[in-house]
Amino acid sequence: MEDFYTHAVPMDAAVAQLAAAYEDAKAAVRAAEERKDSLANQLKAHAEAAALQSGHPLGTTRVVLESDTLTVRVTPVETWRLDSTRMKKEAPETYVRWAKKSVSNRLEVAAS
C-alpha cells in the first residue's frame, strides 16, 4: 500500500460530539445486526424443519412460511466468487491484467 501524508489537527468540541455520536450509532448498528442475524437463523431453522418434513433438505427446495400478515421465503441461492488469493499465487500475470485499483477514504474513530 502507498504511504499517504498524515495531517493531524486538533478536534473542536462539535467534531468531538459528532465522533462520539458516530461511535454510539456504530454500537447500536452492531447490536441490531446481531439481533437481525439471530432472528434470521431462527427463521431458517423453522424453514429447515418444514423442508425436512417434506422430505427435501433445505438448500434443495424453496420453503415458504405463511401467516395472515407475513410471508417468509427461504430460497437456495448459488453464487460464484473468484478466489483472488489463489489467483495471485497461481496466475499472478492474469491477476495483474484484470485487477482494478481503487482508493477510498476510510473513517476510523478511536479513543485517544
Side-chain angles (χ1 to χ4, degrees), residues 16-32 109:
Q17 200 171 24
L18 282 173
Y22 174 83
E23 284 297 294
D24 290 346
K26 200 165 79 170
V29 166
R30 193 176 309 114
V109 177

Side-chain angles (χ1 to χ4, degrees), residues 56-107:
H56 303 283
L58 198 60
T60 64
T61 186
R62 179 180 189 192
V63 176
V64 180
L65 306 171
E66 297 176 308
S67 75
D68 292 339
T69 57
L70 294 170
T71 300
V72 174
R73 292 177 192 86
V74 180
T75 306
V77 177
E78 182 177 78
T79 60
W80 288 76
R81 291 191 175 85
L82 181 65
D83 184 344
S84 62
T85 302
R86 183 175 171 197
M87 180 183 252
K88 284 180 200 176
K89 183 178 179 182
E90 296 180 16
E93 65 289 341
T94 302
Y95 176 80
V96 170
R97 272 194 12 222
W98 290 93
K100 185 176 176 182
K101 180 180 178 180
S102 67
V103 177
S104 63
N105 295 301
R106 177 179 24 209
L107 175 66

Side-chain angles (χ1 to χ4, degrees), residues 3-8:
D3 290 324
F4 293 99
Y5 173 75
T6 299
H7 181 68

